[in-house]
Amino acid sequence: MTDADFRDALHGHKDVVHRFAYRMTGSSSAAEDIVQDCFLILWRKPGAYDPIRGAMRAFLLGIARNLVLKRWRDERPHEALEDDAFVFQPLNVREDGRAEAVEKAILMLPPLQREAVVLAEYEEMSLDEIAQATAADLAAVKSRLHRARQNLRRMLAPILESKGAFHGTK
Amino acid sequence: MEPNDPQLRELLREWQTPAVSPELEARMLRPRRSWSSFLLYGYIRVPVPVVYCLLALAIFAGWRLSTRTSPSVPCVADCNHALTGAC
């Protein structure tokens, strides 16, 4: 990989990787560390990226995802990446704190559900692309997305219901 | 999101992320330093336990040097042959 190729990759994909890392960690400094590590890996092992196997974006998001999960395991060695049994309660939200409530709800999701919903909703990736980036099969991705949506609807119910009632009265 | 769930999608979009700091890109595109330049201007991060070990080694080395026995000086005062130089 030449300097120009690296520069192009950085310009083209740093924002995507940063958005993903920020939404997965909830921290600007952690997200920047992950972006840096992600592109460092690309620079050191450019052969790991095979254009035939998929887009650069999915490749970089896959690296970022592994870095995020490594951090998660280091920080919370006893917590499961996927907790199906946990039932989320509706959040107590103020009317002016909708974005904060969304952030809180997404950060409360187990990491594998969170990555699925972040990639699907915010990065608008298809199920196939998510499966490729997360090294999971399609059925697992569908299942995680389904559970993530259910949990988000439950946690954000106070906002969604008030919004629905508001729209209903119009 | 599911096509029949635009309400949740709309709500999720309200969470925006901060932009990448310009320093990050500048830091990553900084020209790589040559070895000669590194020898003059470079720095390395040293773990604190290693610093402790180095300090302990330095203290030990200092103590060994200070307690090293100096070569004994012959006492000429009591020597009967001091004047003859046979001592």
Side-chain angles (χ1 to χ4, degrees):
Chain A
M1 174 172 272
T2 63
D3 278 2
D5 293 339
F6 180 75
R7 194 181 294 267
D8 288 346
L10 184 65
H11 279 308
H13 301 288
K14 70 174 189 310
D15 291 327
V16 176
V17 176
H18 181 263
R19 278 198 307 265
F20 172 75
Y22 182 84
R23 287 195 165 107
M24 289 298 291
T25 60
S27 155
S28 282
S29 61
E32 294 206 347
D33 285 349
I34 288 166
V35 173
Q36 192 163 334
D37 291 349
C38 185
F39 281 95
L40 202 60
I41 289 170
L42 176 69
W43 174 255
R44 285 182 178 162
K45 294 180 185 170
Y49 169 59
D50 181 2
I52 298 166
R53 289 178 58 198
M56 174 67 91
R57 183 176 74 143
F59 172 75
L60 290 170
L61 285 172
I63 298 175
R65 179 245 187 198
N66 290 338
L67 293 168
V68 168
L69 296 186
K70 184 178 179 304
R71 268 175 182 259
W72 171 273
R73 288 192 202 99
D74 290 346
E75 290 168 5
R76 304 172 179 83
H78 304 298
E79 282 186 46
L81 289 172
E82 192 153 29
D83 188 355
D84 296 341
F86 191 80
V87 177
F88 292 90
Q89 299 300 317
L91 295 176
N92 186 15
V93 280
R94 294 175 307 152
E95 186 54 33
D96 58 346
R98 293 154 57 97
E100 287 80 3
V102 171
E103 175 177 2
K104 192 174 173 186
I106 288 180
L107 290 174
M108 282 175 76
L109 291 173
L112 297 186
Q113 290 181 31
R114 194 187 316 160
E115 69 180 9
V117 83
V118 165
L119 293 175
E121 172 59 23
Y122 294 102
E123 301 307 327
E124 298 182 339
M125 289 171 76
S126 68
L127 292 174
D128 284 329
E129 287 175 313
I130 297 172
Q132 190 203 339
T134 59
D137 59 49
L138 211 55
V141 172
K142 281 183 185 173
S143 164
R144 287 171 193 164
L145 258 179
H146 178 70
R147 287 199 301 276
R149 288 170 187 146
Q150 277 185 327
N151 288 328
L152 286 173
R153 280 204 72 85
R154 203 173 292 130
M155 283 189 278
L156 298 170
I159 298 177
L160 290 168
E161 282 163 11
S162 67
K163 203 174 174 184
F166 175 76
H167 285 304
T169 55
K170 279 276 175 187
Chain B
M1 247 353 87
E2 283 163 341
N4 59 355
D5 203 355
Q7 205 185 6
L8 181 58
R9 162 171 276 182
E10 189 189 336
L11 177 59
L12 294 182
R13 293 292 170 95
E14 293 191 23
W15 180 29
Q16 300 295 316
T17 58
V20 186
S21 69
E23 292 84 23
L24 176 70
E25 190 172 344
R27 204 163 59 229
M28 295 185 69
L29 292 176
R30 198 166 43 200
R32 281 150 194 82
R33 205 180 252 175
S34 67
W35 269 105
S36 55
S37 169
F38 177 77
L39 290 174
L40 288 173
Y41 305 108
Y43 63 90
I44 54 169
R45 285 162 51 167
V46 181
V48 172
V50 174
V51 174
Y52 289 150
C53 290
L54 292 175
L55 271 176
L57 276 175
I59 290 168
F60 179 71
W63 173 74
R64 281 298 298 265
L65 281 174
S66 66
T67 58
R68 177 181 280 178
T69 52
S70 52
S72 57
V73 179
C75 176
V76 293
D78 296 334
C79 182
N80 294 331
H81 306 289
L83 295 175
T84 61
C87 185

